[in-house]
Structure formats: C-alpha cells, structure tokens
Amino acid sequence: MSSASRTSALLFADNLRLVCTHIVVVFTVLIYSQSRGQDLKQLDAYYAKALKDWNVPGMSVAIVKDGKVIFSKGYGVKEAGKADPADANTLYAIASNSKAFTTAAIAMMVKEGKLSFDDKVRKYLPYFELYDPFVSQDATISDLLCHRIGFRTFSGDAIWYLSDDLTAEQIIRRAKYLEPTYPFRAGYGYSNVMYITAGELMRTVAGKPWGEIIQEKIFNKLGMDRSVTSSQYIDSKGNFATPHALDGDKHIPIAWENWDAIAATGGIVSSVEDMSKWMIFNLNNGIWKGDTLLTTALRTKLWTPHNVFPVNNTDDNFETHFAGYGLGWSLTDYKGKMRVGHTGGYSGMLSLVTMIPDEKLGVVVLTNGMKGGLMRAIGDYTVDSFLKQKVRDYSAEYLAETKKRRAADTRITDREKARVSGTKPSVPLGQYAGSYSADIYGNIEVKKDGDKLRLSFEHSKRFNATLEHWHYDVWRIKWDNAEQLSWFSFGTVAFQLDNNLIVKGLEFDVPNDDIWFEELKGIKN
C-alpha cells in the first residue's frame, strides 16, 4: 500500500471512530434524556393532580439539578374564577423565603469588611432594647438571624401585621415590651421582629434601604430580573398571581398587602424561574458564573446549625438524625443526605424551597392559596423521586392529615359551646368606651355605636371591627374586612373591671396559629 493510500485509510478509520463515538454519545444522551423526560412527565402529572386534589387555585414549580433548570411550569390559574393560567414566570410573594436573601446579603457585607456576624446589634442600632439589659447589650447579628433571642414563635407579629404606618424602627422600638418564653440563647422562637431588626441594621451600615441592597447584591448579580422587593412593583412586571384567603375549603381572592416596613423578613416577590437561579447559586456554594459572591467560610456559616431542635430517635421509623436552624435556613438530614430549605407564608400565598446539596438538587414551589400541605407534598415527592427512594403519595397522606387536624381543631367550637346565654354587661355601654393603650402597639379605641361598640386600631385600620355582646363583659369581634383576613376569623375581647366595676383594660382572645392578639393587653387611659 502506498504512503498516500495508508494515510487515507488511517484518516478514514479515524473519522469512522469519531462518527461511531458521536453516535454512541448521541444515543446515550437520547436514552438518558428520554428516561429523565419520562420521570419529569410523571412528576408533571403528579403535580397537576395534587393541585386539583388540594383545591388550590394555582401554583408554579421548578426543579434544578446539576446547575441547570430541568423543569419549570405553572399549574392552575392566577386567580380563582378567572381563566388566566399560571406559568413559570408568574410572580408570587415568597414571604419568609426572603430571610435567606437577607442573611446572604449580610454575609456579602461581611465579605466586604463592613460588619461581622458577631457584632453586637447595638453597635449599629443604639436604641435596640429587649426584655433584659444584658440581652439588649449582648445580642449579636447571629442571634437575630437564628431565632434564639428568647421570644415565643411569632411573638410581636401583632405589632406590624396589617400596619398602615409603622416604620421598621418603630416596630423595633416596641420589641422591649415583648415577654420572653425561655432564656437568651437557650431555645428556639421564630422571630420576624428580629429579622426586621436585621434589615434596619443593614440599612444603617450600607446607607441604603434593604430593598436596594438585595437588588444590587443578589437580583442584579444573578439576573433575577422579574424579582422585586415590594408588592408595589408588581404592576410594572405584570404576570402576577392573586392571593387567596381560605373560607372553609374555598379560596377567596384578596388584595395584595404592602410589607415594605418588614421586607427583610418576608418582602420578596418572585417566580420559580428566578428562584431557580437563586437555588443554583446556593447549590454552587455562593459562586455564580465564576464570581465568588460568598466564600466557603461564609457559606458554611449560613448552613451551620446555630439553633438545634430535639429529634425523636426512639421511633423505629425515624429518618431524621438532626434538625436545626442556620442563618436564614432550616437544616436537617433526610434519608442520609443533608437537606436545606425554608417555607414562607404571606397573606394568601405559601411557598417552599428545598435543596439536597449533595445531589445538586433543588425544588421551589410557589402557590396562591392557604394550604401548606400541598407545597410540602410536592417538595417531598420530588426529592424522593430523585433520590431513588420508595416514593410515597405525600399529597394523599398530607391531605388526610390536614383534614384530620382541622376536624380536631375545636378552638372556635369550644368557645361557642362555652358561651353563656342570657347574660348582660356589668356596666352601661358608655363605660366601656375610651382609649386603651397597649405597650407593644399603641392606642386601641372603643366607641359606643347604638347598642353596639366599635373597635378601632391606631395603626391597623383593617383590624377595625364591630363588637357584639357575647356574654358578661366579653364581646365578639366582627371584623370589618373579615373576607380579606387570611390568618384568623373568630375572636372576642374581654373588658377587665376592678372591684368597683370600673373598666380598667381589655384582653383579646383570637384563636389562630400566627398572630398573637393576646399580646395586645390594653390599659384604659
């Protein structure tokens, strides 16, 4: 064979090998893609069925794996009774999933040398004052972010919820009147008020509002161009869902609320497409397209348990060996893997982010309803599917548990049964009227209105109500905007009288799981 023929034969063989290799690679990719696509198709069907079973108007779901978005879709509608469908770019309030943005931005400020997680809060907010002088002086930024100040979960939310005019600083200044339920750094109490404090601290250090900090350090960097830090901007973005309150099992459209004053604890509005970028960034340990926004030490700081929860390992079926809270993240192990995530609750919208860092896997679920079991079911079912675990029908399980729990919740019916008929107020209606001052809140007014009483709140007009006599010196609260309230419905107010039948104060009883009206102890002025 001539030299030219030999060369041609070698070139032909090399080309044949390249072609064969290419065919094998393409065939392998096709098989993997089809297999993966089939899994995603099954998940897609599960999500659609779950939404229908839970009777929630709409939701959007996205999955990221190995640095890529592999699934992103909307289900149902943006508003009950209308046909406009939800999609992957539909905006929802992510509420407390905003906390991880707050801690990430603080970590970036630490990286820049502007502050330290161990800095005392009073270094930046001299007016910061709590229930004890030592706690006020010694509380650090980390203490604010891991819920170990000493408050009961959600303590103080009655200060800011539905507030018309209170600023972040005014809310923080009222925290000194909140009572602790356990010693400083000796327990866990989820505190939105302390995250509001963290946001105001950021503003003081950076010289700009929390929203601008998040926009510059995170949204702009990650290309989250549909995400905003206030509901006041959603009109400019378009394609946003409507919140829904729950009336029995029916979801009722309600108005968006403005959470600007408390944005650091829950103000972000986003889509699953944008939240996918956020998850990829976190799963890549704070690096985005080669840019190290968070160092390894800072990523470790955020994902280290700073507050540890008890775990029941006496159950033969237990799968969790540790659980705790880092800085803006809930942390646990799950079937041998670390799990990082958070949930969020906005009036009329619930959300979930869950990630398995070892698998570079993340799931985000955004909904426009008030049934939290749906998002939990979607998250758990998806994670199990990718971990190749025996998949349980979490949607059916959680739905049954939810129905059982609601049936067992007799707080309102117990109060109705305890009502004593045929009783009368101890004093004439006019003697209940007056201004009542609650330390953590401000003034609450009671006025005589015919044979009823009117209740009005200095900073929260949407709490205003008519009082109808219940029994003795207790009155039922008939909220003016009952159909717009997501977290509570039934409530009473009891007037406190001294031995001489002089009205001295009032106390609330509004059974719910989120807003503690009983903290609003009004003293008559």
Side-chain angles (χ1 to χ4, degrees):
M1 182 183 289
S2 67
S3 176
S5 298
R6 188 181 302 108
T7 300
S8 296
L10 290 172
L11 287 172
F12 175 79
D14 286 342
N15 288 334
L16 181 61
R17 280 195 297 270
L18 288 172
V19 170
C20 290
T21 300
H22 179 70
I23 291 173
V24 170
V25 169
V26 170
F27 186 70
T28 302
V29 168
L30 283 173
I31 292 176
Y32 174 72
S33 297
Q34 289 172 356
S35 173
R36 187 177 71 179
Q38 184 62 41
D39 290 340
L40 295 179
K41 185 177 180 180
Q42 188 275 329
L43 287 175
D44 179 28
Y46 188 83
Y47 300 160
K49 183 178 185 302
L51 182 74
K52 182 178 179 181
D53 290 345
W54 282 86
N55 193 29
V56 171
M59 72 175 180
S60 298
V61 182
I63 305 169
V64 302
K65 183 76 170 75
D66 300 324
K68 296 180 180 179
V69 182
I70 64 169
F71 185 90
S72 185
K73 186 177 178 180
Y75 300 84
V77 294
K78 298 175 190 174
E79 182 175 331
K82 296 185 178 180
D84 197 8
D87 60 36
N89 287 302
T90 298
L91 296 177
Y92 304 77
I94 69 168
S96 286
N97 275 298
S98 304
K99 289 180 170 64
F101 288 81
T102 294
T103 59
I106 290 176
M108 293 171 188
M109 295 169 73
V110 171
K111 181 172 177 282
E112 296 164 355
K114 294 181 178 178
L115 46 73
S116 165
F117 280 112
D118 295 325
D119 283 347
K120 301 290 193 293
V121 177
R122 275 194 172 176
K123 178 178 179 180
Y124 307 102
L125 302 178
Y127 61 82
F128 180 70
E129 186 177 356
L130 299 175
Y131 54 87
D132 179 90
F134 169 75
V135 178
S136 303
Q137 183 62 43
D138 207 52
T140 66
I141 296 175
S142 289
D143 292 325
L144 299 180
L145 304 178
C146 68
H147 307 299
R148 63 187 182 197
I149 288 294
F151 296 138
R152 164 194 189 188
T153 289
F154 301 144
S155 181
D157 286 0
I159 301 172
W160 59 264
Y161 182 60
L162 292 184
S163 169
D164 302 313
D165 56 7
L166 287 177
T167 65
E169 180 176 335
Q170 288 172 324
I171 294 167
I172 296 164
R173 286 184 179 275
R174 286 164 165 76
K176 66 182 178 181
Y177 299 112
L178 297 176
E179 298 178 0
T181 56
Y182 56 83
F184 180 43
R185 295 180 183 145
Y188 175 84
Y190 189 90
S191 178
N192 288 308
V193 173
M194 291 301 98
Y195 264 81
I196 297 169
T197 304
E200 192 67 0
L201 186 150
M202 292 167 64
R203 185 194 64 78
T204 300
V205 172
K208 61 184 69 173
W210 173 88
E212 289 185 21
I213 299 171
I214 299 300
Q215 182 71 49
E216 293 172 5
K217 293 186 178 299
I218 300 179
F219 291 174
N220 292 349
K221 294 285 186 179
L222 304 189
M224 297 176 66
D225 53 12
R226 280 191 53 73
S227 298
V228 293
T229 57
S230 169
S231 61
Q232 67 176 311
Y233 304 130
I234 59 175
D235 284 330
S236 65
K237 295 293 183 179
N239 187 9
F240 52 86
T242 296
H244 293 79
L246 197 59
D247 181 11
D249 195 52
K250 183 180 180 182
H251 279 95
I252 308 298
I254 61 174
W256 278 79
E257 295 173 2
N258 185 310
W259 282 19
D260 287 3
I262 55 96
T265 199
I268 291 176
V269 179
S270 190
S271 67
V272 296
E273 277 287 317
D274 269 11
M275 290 297 288
S276 293
K277 299 173 184 177
W278 169 245
M279 292 191 296
I280 291 170
F281 162 71
N282 279 281
L283 290 167
N284 200 34
N285 297 317
I287 300 173
W288 181 257
K289 295 182 178 180
D291 189 359
T292 303
L293 303 181
L294 292 176
T295 64
T296 300
L298 289 171
R299 158 53 70 233
T300 300
K301 181 80 171 179
L302 300 182
W303 283 4
T304 294
H306 293 260
N307 208 329
V308 181
F309 309 150
V311 172
N312 178 17
N313 55 16
T314 63
D315 184 346
D316 291 338
N317 297 315
F318 83 96
E319 296 176 329
T320 298
H321 301 79
F322 86 89
Y325 199 90
L327 301 182
W329 293 101
S330 295
L331 308 166
T332 185
D333 68 317
Y334 183 72
K335 299 185 178 180
K337 304 284 186 178
M338 180 181 179
R339 186 170 185 168
V340 181
H342 214 286
T343 58
Y346 176 88
S347 298
M349 292 182 165
L350 301 176
S351 60
L352 173 141
V353 171
T354 187
M355 299 182 290
I356 309 295
D358 290 350
E359 299 293 326
K360 299 294 183 183
L361 171 69
V363 185
V364 57
V365 185
L366 307 180
T367 77
N368 63 352
M370 292 296 288
K371 296 181 179 179
L374 171 62
M375 65 182 186
R376 288 177 52 233
I378 297 298
D380 289 348
Y381 188 89
T382 306
V383 168
D384 277 6
S385 297
F386 278 88
L387 293 183
K388 305 302 180 185
Q389 298 287 333
K390 181 180 179 180
V391 179
R392 294 156 48 188
D393 188 353
Y394 289 105
S395 178
E397 287 184 26
Y398 294 165
L399 186 55
E401 290 174 5
T402 298
K403 290 179 179 178
K404 184 178 180 180
R405 185 169 58 252
R406 286 181 179 171
D409 184 359
T410 60
R411 288 176 293 182
I412 293 177
T413 56
D414 286 347
R415 286 160 171 79
E416 290 173 336
K417 290 177 182 178
R419 184 181 185 184
V420 181
S421 60
T423 65
K424 296 181 179 180
S426 299
V427 297
L429 291 188
Q431 293 188 30
Y432 297 104
S435 177
Y436 297 76
S437 179
D439 287 338
I440 73 164
Y441 177 81
N443 291 324
I444 301 169
E445 296 287 337
V446 176
K447 294 182 180 180
K448 184 176 178 297
D449 183 15
D451 61 348
K452 297 179 181 179
L453 297 172
R454 284 287 298 168
L455 183 69
S456 61
F457 291 76
E458 180 182 4
H459 303 292
S460 317
K461 292 182 176 61
R462 282 167 289 181
F463 281 170
N464 291 355
T466 294
L467 298 181
E468 295 182 352
H469 187 249
W470 186 247
H471 59 197
Y472 300 108
D473 297 308
V474 179
W475 302 71
R476 180 171 181 176
I477 304 169
K478 303 289 287 186
W479 313 100
D480 292 351
N481 300 291
E483 71 283 354
Q484 294 288 310
L485 300 175
S486 300
W487 305 105
F488 51 86
S489 56
F490 177 90
T492 60
V493 59
F495 291 92
Q496 310 302 314
L497 282 66
D498 68 11
N499 294 8
N500 300 308
L501 297 184
I502 303 299
V503 180
K504 291 294 187 180
L506 55 77
E507 291 186 358
F508 290 92
D509 178 25
V510 183
N512 72 98
D513 298 322
D514 299 276
I515 310 298
W516 310 138
F517 277 84
E518 60 267 31
E519 292 184 327
L520 303 178
K521 295 181 173 63
I523 305 301
K524 195 171 186 183
N525 296 324

